Amino acid sequence: METTINGTKLVLKIGDITEEDTQAIVNAANSTLMGGGGVDGAIHSKGGPAILEECKKIRQTTYPDGLPTGEAVITTGGNLKAEYVIHTVGPVCHGRFTENHEKLLYNAYYNSLKVAKENGIKTVAFPSISTGAYRCPLDLSARTAMMAVIDFIKNENYITEVRFVLFTDSIYYYYEEALKEILNEA
Ligand code: AR6
């Protein structure tokens, strides 16, 4: 599915985010920035050690206690097609979705796009943050993701394409439903 909002292309697709050719891809990291499973593991393994090296530097300088949930930082994309990786940390939900989870997840998407803009990046791909190991419910997470991205696109006329790269048909379905619902409400 594809639509254009305020001049920015918003694309939903099924795929593996490590294969994307956007200028930046977003990593669903944890606050240590030292890697892990899921998208994080796939990005570090395909992108190579240069990514971890830069993450270590960020931990030694800006974020010695770890990257707070909802914030975002940028590193090289190493061997990936994408030039950059933007690392963000979504909330840990354990199947629940409180107002605080919603706010933190919203911030993770919004701040990732802010970091992209600050670095002159115009095309960004997102995975479905927090809906794997962190177990946030897909329906509400998809809606929050869409709200954050659409708010950013409306507020800041800079990014030309935001792409959601969703790992399975069923995850895609939730994002498509959320986007359709929001477009109908507008
Ligand atoms: N491309 C696109 N989506 C993917 C890929 C991929 N290559 N691999 C997995 N997904 P998760 P989280 C989907 O667990 O919930 C890590 O260990 C997956 O199907 O990667 O934010 C970190 O280090 C799911 O829909 O991220 C953290 O400790 C989505 O990506 C923790 O997991 C997110 O699943 C973060 O948990």
Side-chain angles (χ1 to χ4, degrees):
M1 179 174 176
E2 195 178 309
T3 185
T4 299
I5 297 170
N6 197 25
T8 301
K9 203 156 95 169
L10 179 56
V11 179
L12 309 184
K13 64 178 277 195
I14 299 165
D16 175 348
I17 199 166
T18 63
E19 296 294 334
E20 291 303 312
D21 61 358
T22 43
Q23 278 177 283
I25 64 171
V26 175
N27 182 16
N30 60 62
S31 70
T32 71
L33 295 177
M34 293 298 113
V39 190
D40 197 8
I43 287 174
H44 279 283
S45 99
K46 203 170 279 186
I51 300 175
L52 188 60
E53 283 312 308
E54 288 191 22
C55 286
K56 282 182 182 161
K57 281 197 194 112
I58 292 168
R59 286 298 310 279
Q60 282 157 8
T61 54
T62 328
Y63 289 110
D65 299 326
L67 182 65
T69 306
E71 299 297 319
V73 293
I74 189 166
T75 66
T76 176
N79 302 326
L80 295 168
K81 286 180 195 157
E83 196 179 343
Y84 300 99
V85 175
I86 295 169
H87 306 259
T88 190
V89 183
V92 181
C93 292
H94 299 299
R96 295 164 59 237
F97 203 70
T98 63
E99 260 178 48
N100 195 42
H101 292 128
E102 183 182 358
K103 183 172 143 263
L104 292 168
L105 188 60
Y106 182 100
N107 289 346
Y109 283 97
Y110 201 94
N111 288 328
S112 294
L113 291 174
K114 232 162 104 177
V115 166
K117 183 183 175 193
E118 284 162 9
N119 287 275
I121 293 163
K122 291 192 171 274
T123 58
V124 179
F126 280 104
S128 174
I129 299 166
S130 279
T131 62
Y134 284 176
R135 291 186 49 233
C136 295
L138 260 165
D139 52 351
L140 298 172
S141 300
R143 186 178 167 85
T144 304
M146 288 302 150
M147 295 295 280
V149 166
I150 291 171
D151 283 351
F152 187 92
I153 290 172
K154 286 185 172 166
N155 293 341
E156 311 260 353
N157 203 345
Y158 187 77
I159 309 269
T160 57
E161 182 180 341
V162 177
R163 206 180 284 174
F164 279 87
V165 183
L166 306 159
F167 213 35
T168 65
D169 293 12
S170 71
I171 300 166
Y172 176 88
Y173 166 82
Y174 282 102
Y175 279 75
E176 190 181 52
E177 284 303 298
L179 180 55
K180 281 185 191 159
E181 215 176 271
I182 291 167
L183 293 176
N184 282 338
E185 287 162 11

